[in-house]
Amino acid sequence: MAIEHTETTEHVVPKRVYYTIFVILMVMTYTTVQVAYFDLGRFNAVAALLIAFFKASLVVLFFMHVKYAPKLIKLFVLGGLFWLAIMLGITMTDYMTRTPQEFPMSRVNTVQPLPAAHVPTALLG
Amino acid sequence: MSTAVLPRENYLNTDYGLRSWFLTTDHKRICILYLLTITLFFAIGGAFATVMRLDLATPAADLVSDETYNKMFTMHGIIMVFFFLVPSIPATLGNFLIPMMVGAKDVAFPKLNLASWYIFTAGGCFTLWALISGGVDSGWTFYTPFSTLSSNTNVTLAALGIFIAGFSSILTGLNFMVTIHRMRAPGLTWFRMPLFLWSMYAASLIFVLGTPVIAITLLLVAAERVLHLGIFDPARGGDPVLFQHLFWFYSHPAVYIMVVPGMGVVSEIVAAFSRKRIFGYTFVAFSSLAIAILGFLVWGHHLFVAGISVYSALVFSLLSYFVAIPSAIKVFNWTATLYKGSISFATPMLYAFGFIWMFTIGGLTGLFLAALGIDIHVTDTYFVIAHFHYIMVGGAIMAYLGGLHYWWPKMTGRLYPEGWGKLGFITVFLGFNLTFFPQFILGYMGMPRRYHAYPPEFQTLNVLSSAGASILAIGYLIPLVYLLWSLKYGPIAGPNPWGAKGLEWTTSSPPPKHNFETTPIVTEPAYNYSELEETAVV
């Protein structure tokens, strides 16, 4: 009887692929450290996250075999990322559109104290 | 007709001894383990509710101190949500039925299934330890900055308990999804599947996609308390509202974890006791997925008064209304299924009717809360309490009890006493409505939640509510007693006492260890009742 090849048949990856990916990951870690020495202003975090995302993708694609997996598995991986995008994206509808007026507490520090003559005597107690 | 004896060999008598139960990988035995565990948690959670309702019978704070009261509602919420409602239908009925409905011998990963129960129990023990060693007072929602900066109770321990139990949810969801994808019997296409499987698939999606978020969020709370990270602390550049975003990203969909499996149960029951295929099968199937997906887009309606931006509130308000569409599709389609059906009012069907009615009330009042203006008026009042109890208790627990009665003969091989079943339903139904309907009015009048003293003018409604709670408690005890009684004295059920369609009814009751003698082959759509000869049901 012939052995049936199903979708779950394990894909054999040559060892050199793993070694190459490992070297790339190490290089990218070194890059992360080096980039940290440059002040990129607001892009500091963006740079670090881009490198991290690239590294995570390599791990998922090669070490976790998603590159060789059936389409359904890829769909689920993309689904996870899409859900992360939902969480971050819709949360940002709040953070990107907050205006200072909506933060009474944030104005406390910027408002100049009233001259003493204007403070109601009841409050001076 | 049913034979007068139980099958000689079934999953309950293949092995004996504690070891055969605690090391079992049989999905049916794991269902029983979950059933016992969550019943215990339900009793504990119910005890906390009892103390609250007793305290609220009088306006004065005269039964427990305010600190104790805070702990009571917190532990009631934590136990009921994370250790009863979330696992209720999926871990018990889901575990028992998914492999049987797909025509398989077991779930895809039987050992992982047992591991899930152990993880759940370990998480529960952590939380119980938090409870015994002093309790928690942050509310089940763990809102920051109170939970991170002010509360000096066992927040960290309780959060870790929920964190651990979360892994059980993730693994169970994963197991169910893989089972439904990979282990369907020959001929069982996606659109021949019973709707219970569709709804369990949708709930599993939420388990897998949502639970990691609550786990990490609670871990952050614990880390913030221990290490003072400053993620939620404004003094360190954090934002307490961020906690609410992350918390509700899971916890709103968690409501659908509770109610979507319930909808699956109701679909099965309505079809079986109307002797009809569910009207609009495809719509009902996809509406489960739609609820699971849309449920992830609406969490912000819990934050309308928390300080989110007006724009964000508008977006969340609009998205929240969208969830009403698939929910209404289900309710209308169940109702349409009844039309010209051969309806019988057996106990499971009564619970299904109860579900439809309560879920409709709970759902419609949810629309009030999605409206920005009304929400600001009733936020943190008893209106909200009433609303979500109509969904969680009136909806999810009704469906759970309905499902338990419907599949009880399959699980145990014996029938429960029908008269007592109806009495139990009526008691639960009356008790529930008497408990929670007055709370809508109390909330509308402005009584805030989480206070154990209130102005005297609210007393009448509170007394009604407390009286209802005691009726409800009796209502839950009645099935507990007669279901246990039926284990020994119930009439032998036979393989299919309801004359229902579905693979689970084609095998003996209780089923053999591997469910089916031979792998079933499916040749017809689900709920193919039109081919059945007219038979009287119970």
Side-chain angles (χ1 to χ4, degrees), chain B residues 501-526:
Chain B
K501 302 293 281 187
L503 287 180
E504 78 271 28
W505 299 110
T506 61
T507 188
S508 53
S509 310
K513 188 174 182 185
H514 293 300
N515 299 342
F516 303 97
E517 301 297 333
T518 53
T519 303
I521 295 170
V522 180
T523 55
E524 58 178 25

Side-chain angles (χ1 to χ4, degrees), chain B residues 95-180:
Chain B
N95 246 324
F96 196 93
L97 293 165
I98 288 174
M100 302 198 71
M101 284 183 168
V102 299
K105 288 178 180 173
D106 209 315
V107 289
F109 308 114
K111 287 181 184 168
L112 203 60
N113 200 18
L114 179 66
S116 303
W117 178 74
Y118 274 104
I119 296 169
F120 173 74
T121 310
C125 289
F126 255 79
T127 305
L128 285 180
W129 183 19
L131 147 82
I132 293 165
S133 61
V136 192
D137 68 349
S138 60
W140 78 276
T141 49
F142 292 101
Y143 270 12
T144 57
F146 180 78
S147 63
T148 48
L149 295 176
S150 308
S151 176
N152 56 2
T153 55
N154 294 328
V155 173
T156 310
L157 206 54
L160 281 178
I162 297 166
F163 176 81
I164 294 168
F167 285 90
S168 164
S169 296
I170 296 168
L171 296 176
T172 302
L174 191 70
N175 222 335
F176 289 171
M177 276 158 66
V178 177
T179 307
I180 294 172

